[in-house]
Amino acid sequence: MSFFENTRKPAGFGGRIMVSMMNLGHGAMAGWGLRFLMVPTNAAVLDCGCGGGANIKKLLKKCSGGSVKGIDYSPVSVEKSRKVNRRAIEAGRCVVLQASVMKLPFEASQFDLVTAFETVYFWPDLSCSFQEVYRVLKPGGTFFICNESSGDTSKDDKWTEIINGMTIYKDVQLQAAMEQVGFHHVQIHKNQKGWLCVTAQK
C-alpha cells in the first residue's frame, strides 16, 4: 500500500503519520467551510469519517453546551480522534466509534448536524450513505460536506490516479445525490482554491 492510500483508510505507522498530517493540513479548509454553518450551542453533532479528530475539536467549541460524536472505519483514526478529544470524552461530551457511514450505529432522528470533511470521496455507495445520514438527522437538521477538491480543475485528477477507490464529486453530483434521498435547500459554496462546501436540510 502506498503512503497516500492512508488518506482513504489510515493503517499502521504510515496511517498514524497521515492522520497527524491531515489534522494540520486541512485546518484552513475546515475553518473556511465552517463559516457557512450556524451551529446551535446545544447541538447534537455527528462527524462522519472523523479522521484525526481535529474537526471534532472545532465542533465541540462551536456547540459548547452540546455534544459531538465521531465515527471512522479506521482503527488508527479512532485512536487518534480519542486522543485529541480525550478531555471532552472524559467530560461526557464526546464519543468516537469505529463504524461505517453505510451503517451508522445510531437510532433515527438523533442529530441536529452531520458533517463530512474530506471524506465523501471514499464512501463506497453515495446514495446508501446519504440515506443513512438522512435517517439519523432530526427533521430540519443539516448535512454539511466540505472538500478540498471540487472536481473543477485538472489538478484533481492526480489524486484519483494515486489513490485507489477515490472519487471526486462535483457540486452538481453531490446536490443530485442529496436531493434523491430527500434533502432540500441545498446550498453550494466555492472559492478560488477549488474548495467546495455543500449544505442541505432534512
Side-chain angles (χ1 to χ4, degrees), residues 30-62:
W32 169 79
L34 287 170
R35 292 186 302 168
F36 305 110
L37 195 61
M38 294 295 293
V39 184
T41 56
N42 64 341
V45 182
L46 171 63
D47 186 30
C48 291
C50 60
N55 292 318
I56 289 178
K57 196 167 187 175
K58 286 184 174 71
L59 291 162
L60 283 162
K61 289 180 180 177
K62 280 189 166 288

Side-chain angles (χ1 to χ4, degrees), residues 81-189:
S81 286
R82 286 174 176 169
K83 184 177 179 180
V84 167
N85 296 287
R86 178 178 54 82
R87 289 183 180 177
I89 291 170
E90 290 173 352
R93 293 190 57 225
C94 181
V95 174
V96 181
L97 303 173
Q98 185 179 348
S100 168
V101 70
M102 294 277 286
K103 191 174 182 181
L104 294 171
F106 307 108
E107 298 296 326
S109 304
Q110 279 203 22
F111 299 100
D112 301 291
L113 169 66
V114 175
T115 61
F117 295 88
E118 281 288 277
T119 180
V120 295
Y121 314 124
F122 309 115
W123 292 7
D125 184 327
L126 209 60
S127 179
C128 177
S129 300
F130 282 12
Q131 285 175 353
E132 273 292 271
V133 171
Y134 189 89
R135 181 183 66 81
V136 301
L137 271 171
K138 297 176 183 177
T142 300
F143 182 23
F144 167 96
I145 294 171
C146 194
N147 289 344
E148 199 167 43
S149 298
S150 63
D152 290 337
T153 64
S154 57
K155 68 181 176 64
D156 292 335
D157 296 338
K158 70 176 182 181
W159 295 114
T160 56
E161 292 170 4
I162 294 171
I163 304 165
N164 290 327
M166 182 179 188
T167 303
I168 296 176
Y169 298 98
K170 294 191 175 185
D171 53 356
V172 291
Q173 293 174 298
L174 292 172
Q175 179 172 357
M178 287 172 153
E179 291 176 344
Q180 186 179 27
V181 301
F183 285 105
H184 59 93
H185 288 134
V186 179
Q187 296 188 16
I188 295 164
H189 307 276

